[in-house]
Amino acid sequence: MANPSAGGLPERPSRAVYDWHRALPGYAATPLRELPDLAGQLGLERLWVKDETDRFGLPAFKILGASWASEVALAQLAARPAVPVLVAATDGNHGRAVARVARRAGCRARIFLPADTAPARIEAIRAEGAEIDARERSYDDAVRAAADFADASADAVLVSDTAFHPADPVPRATIDGYGTIFWEIGDVFARTGDPWPDLVTVQIGVGGLAAATARFLRHHAPGRPFICGVEPVDAGCAAASVGRDTPAQIESDFRSVMVGLNAGRLSSAAWPDLATALDGFLTVADEWALLARDALRERGIPAGDTGAAGLAGLLALRQLAAERDDPALAGARTARRALVVVTEGRTDDPDAVPRR
C-alpha cells in the first residue's frame, strides 16, 4: 500500500545515544554483511544485511532500545526505591532485554507476555531472573496489563517499547536506542565509500525500529531511499493507519510465525515518523518469512522468523514491483542497492535459552 503522506521529514536522530552505547561494557558493532548471490537473484547490484542475531550477548536488537529506555525511565523517578522493578510487556525479545538490563543494574524485573508465547522465550526471560506473568490473550493485552501493574506499584517503572501518547519519553527513548543500528551502518559506508542503499524494507511491529530507520535515512542517506514497512497479513496495523492522525487498533488472532510483529496497534511515538517518511506498507504471508529465513540460514545468518521479515518484505516487494506497472512501486522497481535488518536469531529454539 502506497503512503500518500510520504515526502516529509521525520524527527532528526541524535548521535548521543550511539556514543552512550559504545561506552557500555561489552559493546561491539554488529556485522553489515553482503549477500551477492541473493542480490543477483533479485536483480540487484548490492544487498546488505545488518545482522542483529548477537547484540550484547543477546540474540536480538532489542537491548539497544531497552538499555537506553531503562536509563531514561529510572531517571524519571522522583524518588528511586531501594530496589526498583522494571516492568515490560513483550512477545519475547524486549522483555528479555529489559530483564537483562534489570539484572545488571541491581533491579528486579516483571515481564508480561501472551499466554501462547513459545516456552523457549519464556524460559530465556526467566533465566535472566525476571518474574513472569504469561496470562494475557495477546501482546496488546500484555501491554495494558504491564501498564496497569506499573501504575499500581510504587516501586515499579514501566519500560515500554510502545506508547499511547506521542510524547511518552520512554518509548521515544526506545526508538532513539534503535538508532545505533543505523549510526553503525553510516560509519561503515563512510569508511568504505560504498554507495548507500536506495531500497530498504523494515519490520514494523509497534513501529520503533521502522521509526529509527526513517529518522536516520531521511536525514543522513544521500538521495531519498525507498523505504517500505513490512507487516504480517493479519497484523497490518500500519497499513490500517494510513491517512489517520492516530494509529488504528486492529483485532486479530495474531497467529503469524513472525511473532515479534503480532501487534494490533502502533506506538503513538513511532507513527508520526512512519506516516511522514515511509513510502509504503506491505503485508506478507508467513510463506515469505519462512523462505527468507531459510535463505539467510543457508548463507550463515541464524535468523528467526521475525528476524527474517525485512528480507521477506524485500522478496515479496521485488516480485510485486516486477508484476505490476504501478507508479507507486517505481522506487522499488528501479532500485539497485537494498538493505535489510535481521532483527533476531533463533529465539524460539530451546538451545537459545541461556544456562547460568
Side-chain angles (χ1 to χ4, degrees), residues 53 292-294 296-297 300-308 342 344-347:
T53 59
R293 180 202 66 189
D294 292 345
L296 290 164
R297 291 183 182 181
I301 300 174
D305 302 337
T306 301
V342 176
E344 68 168 25
R346 304 171 72 145
T347 53

Side-chain angles (χ1 to χ4, degrees), residues 129-154:
E131 302 170 23
I132 301 293
D133 189 317
R135 297 175 294 177
E136 306 306 321
R137 186 181 68 86
S138 69
Y139 167 78
D140 298 280
D141 292 333
V143 168
R144 287 185 283 270
D148 290 344
F149 179 86
D151 285 343
S153 304

